[in-house]
Amino acid sequence: MSDPDPYWLLIEGGGSRTWAALATFDCVAAEREGPSTNPRSVGHDQAHDTLAGLVRALPRTGSLRGVVAAHGAASTRVCADEFAALIRRALATAGYPPVPVLVTNDIVPLLLDGDGPLCVVLCGTGTGFAARNGDRWARASGLEWLLSDEGGGHDLAARALRAVVRAQDGRSPATALVDAARRWCPPGPGADTSLGEALFHAVHGDAARKPYVASFAPFVLDAARAGDPVAGGLLDDTARELAEGAEAVCRAVGLAAATPPALVLSGSLLHSDILRERFLSRARAQFGVGVAPRVAAVPGPGLLHLLGLWRDPAAIAALGRAMPVHADPIPGSRP
């Protein structure tokens, strides 16, 4: 007898937040949101505890058939396998039986949103770039802050904090970022602690993680909006990095100004008009004024599309040739 009320767990997340939902093949039924579950941002134990808490908070209606996760933690194929194992452990902690799991990078559902040439620029705590042109796919960045992620929130915040230290040292121009850093940084360990020492203890402390450093990025956006030239220069560099990433993946799939792609923008930093307009100015110079940007919608529709794709092993195999993918067989898959 078939299950009358099967549900699927959908997970989407990156360096600073996680979205989890229960869904049928057609719609999202319930959702919850929490902090990052990327082990390289918050550690494996914290990632597990947060994920288990999100799963436990969702209503248990019907039976769980499987999990579809699109997550920034899936930087490589090995990382996708590791995140699948983390999901299984969190499900067990939340009291669920073992179910099939699909894990891929968080940029993939955005590439499934629409027909025709498509370029995705993701700029949150880190960065990701991907393009699709027919059956050609390409991806760039997304290998964490020591190897890539230029132009993301952590990168912008770290460069801004260095500018603060240099300004304090007299090695670089004065900047409003100094006062912003005083507001952002907790007091140092002593009453006479300098700003430089307070920043040192904040960013090198035991509790400091990638999302914490990235939380200075909104202060940089505010300083640039207020006209600070140092912050404005940092945003110009960020926009250049984003434009170079978009150009690289479009070139890899054969897209140029003659065939401008639909441009999908995602991530917290691109919700800021001051960065988005800087980036779009460069994108229009590369692809022509005909480039059509749109801000990515909520994660549900793209993950539901990915869930439908999971039932076709050939389609999942094709996706896995371009993107990190872990895919268990699921009931009802085509042979």
Side-chain angles (χ1 to χ4, degrees), residues 235-251:
L235 282 203
D236 287 338
D237 292 342
T238 294
R240 176 181 51 79
E241 291 285 359
L242 298 181
E244 288 178 355
E247 195 276 335
V249 291
C250 286
R251 184 175 62 246

Side-chain angles (χ1 to χ4, degrees), residues 113-284:
D113 182 17
D115 300 319
L118 192 69
C119 175
V120 176
V121 177
L122 193 158
C123 180
T125 303
T127 56
F129 310 95
R132 192 191 80 213
N133 185 17
D135 59 357
R136 298 175 67 180
W137 303 61
R139 172 178 173 247
S141 192
L143 295 179
E144 291 293 340
W145 60 280
L146 285 174
L147 291 176
S148 62
D149 275 352
E150 299 93 340
H154 179 273
D155 176 59
L156 175 62
R159 288 186 294 117
L161 290 171
R162 293 186 191 111
V164 168
V165 173
R166 292 179 66 86
Q168 290 278 277
D169 290 347
R171 292 181 289 150
S172 290
T175 170
L177 292 171
V178 173
D179 288 337
R182 288 195 179 99
R183 297 194 303 272
W184 172 78
C185 182
D192 59 348
T193 301
S194 68
L195 176 60
E197 289 183 345
L199 288 171
F200 176 89
H201 290 289
V203 304
H204 293 297
D206 292 339
R209 298 285 188 182
K210 180 179 171 184
Y212 173 70
V213 173
S215 71
F216 187 58
F219 290 80
V220 187
L221 298 176
D222 289 342
R225 190 175 289 108
D228 181 71
V230 173
L234 291 171
L235 282 203
D236 287 338
D237 292 342
T238 294
R240 176 181 51 79
E241 291 285 359
L242 298 181
E244 288 178 355
E247 195 276 335
V249 291
C250 286
R251 184 175 62 246
V253 299
L255 294 175
T259 54
L263 194 60
V264 179
L265 311 180
S266 181
S268 56
L269 262 66
L270 284 172
H271 288 292
S272 164
D273 56 349
I274 192 167
L275 176 58
R276 186 172 63 249
E277 289 308 315
R278 276 171 161 83
F279 163 64
L280 288 176
S281 175
R282 291 176 177 270
R284 291 182 181 113

Side-chain angles (χ1 to χ4, degrees), residues 5-231:
D5 211 9
Y7 275 77
W8 302 80
L9 174 63
L10 309 180
I11 299 170
E12 189 266 349
S16 59
R17 53 164 288 282
T18 305
W19 178 88
L22 287 181
T24 65
F25 273 110
D26 301 313
C27 66
V28 171
E31 57 188 298
R32 298 290 186 273
E33 194 163 321
S36 175
T37 49
N38 188 335
R40 281 170 295 283
S41 293
V42 300
H44 281 81
D45 289 343
Q46 184 60 53
H48 163 267
D49 292 347
T50 299
L51 191 55
L54 285 171
V55 173
R56 200 181 281 118
L58 289 166
R60 297 188 67 156
T61 305
S63 61
L64 185 65
R65 298 295 301 278
V67 181
V68 176
H71 205 288
S75 300
T76 68
R77 289 169 176 82
V78 170
C79 290
D81 293 340
E82 292 173 348
F83 196 72
L86 179 68
I87 290 172
R88 292 190 187 96
R89 188 159 69 95
L91 285 176
T93 299
Y96 281 91
V99 293
V101 175
L102 168 68
V103 174
T104 189
N105 190 260
D106 55 343
I107 209 165
V108 169
L110 303 175
L111 280 171
L112 299 174
D113 182 17
D115 300 319
L118 192 69
C119 175
V120 176
V121 177
L122 193 158
C123 180
T125 303
T127 56
F129 310 95
R132 192 191 80 213
N133 185 17
D135 59 357
R136 298 175 67 180
W137 303 61
R139 172 178 173 247
S141 192
L143 295 179
E144 291 293 340
W145 60 280
L146 285 174
L147 291 176
S148 62
D149 275 352
E150 299 93 340
H154 179 273
D155 176 59
L156 175 62
R159 288 186 294 117
L161 290 171
R162 293 186 191 111
V164 168
V165 173
R166 292 179 66 86
Q168 290 278 277
D169 290 347
R171 292 181 289 150
S172 290
T175 170
L177 292 171
V178 173
D179 288 337
R182 288 195 179 99
R183 297 194 303 272
W184 172 78
C185 182
D192 59 348
T193 301
S194 68
L195 176 60
E197 289 183 345
L199 288 171
F200 176 89
H201 290 289
V203 304
H204 293 297
D206 292 339
R209 298 285 188 182
K210 180 179 171 184
Y212 173 70
V213 173
S215 71
F216 187 58
F219 290 80
V220 187
L221 298 176
D222 289 342
R225 190 175 289 108
D228 181 71
V230 173

